[in-house]
Amino acid sequence: MGKIVTNVGLKVLSNRVKGLLTEPVKIGWGTGTTEPVVGNTGLQTEDTTGGYARTTGISSIVTTLITDDTYQISGSLTALAALTITEWGVFDTAGNLLLREVLAAGHALAIGGTLNFIFKIQFSRCSV
């Protein structure tokens, strides 16, 4: 399956350049399997089992091809119930979905199982 920066995610990024909105560092996960599309505004089936809430990741600027060309968010979530996680995403603190990814096979987790995430958004040049 795929991953995508959503239309709302583009709004978040452009507003951040202007110093607006909040930094997208909240990580959520779920059990949805529908292919991501640019119109997504949330996860298909976000997991809230056992009072679970999105976790705050750690952001950094890293190099992929050109010095400091990539925004990175890393963090981990721990299962509060046995479940298979098939989707995950990054949100700002206002709940705007920056990006969503789906993996059909998913990751089966027992109670206490942890998934570690590293999200990277690489910036590239545009033509003017």
Side-chain angles (χ1 to χ4, degrees):
M1 307 224 48
K3 56 186 157 191
I4 198 160
V5 172
T6 65
N7 288 339
V8 173
L10 294 177
K11 173 186 171 186
V12 169
L13 293 173
S14 62
N15 275 272
R16 289 295 295 165
V17 170
K18 288 281 291 174
L20 305 171
L21 297 178
T22 57
E23 186 177 14
V25 293
K26 294 290 192 177
I27 300 170
W29 67 9
T31 57
T33 56
T34 301
E35 185 76 17
V37 295
V38 296
N40 288 148
T41 57
L43 298 179
Q44 179 187 359
T45 311
E46 190 164 357
D47 175 52
T48 56
T49 306
Y52 157 82
R54 294 175 186 157
T55 192
T56 301
I58 297 169
S59 67
S60 58
I61 304 296
V62 300
T63 298
T64 300
L65 293 175
I66 301 168
T67 303
D68 298 337
D69 65 346
T70 303
Y71 175 71
Q72 177 176 290
I73 308 102
S74 57
S76 61
L77 292 167
T78 301
L80 301 176
L83 71 166
T84 298
I85 297 299
T86 52
E87 65 173 337
W88 39 85
V90 174
F91 302 80
D92 69 7
T93 55
N96 295 304
L97 178 66
L98 173 66
L99 62 90
R100 178 173 174 250
E101 182 173 4
V102 174
L103 178 64
H107 297 279
L109 299 172
I111 295 172
T114 299
L115 282 180
N116 298 309
F117 296 96
I118 298 176
F119 300 94
K120 293 183 178 187
I121 299 173
Q122 181 186 0
F123 297 96
S124 62
R125 300 186 195 283
C126 63
S127 58
V128 288

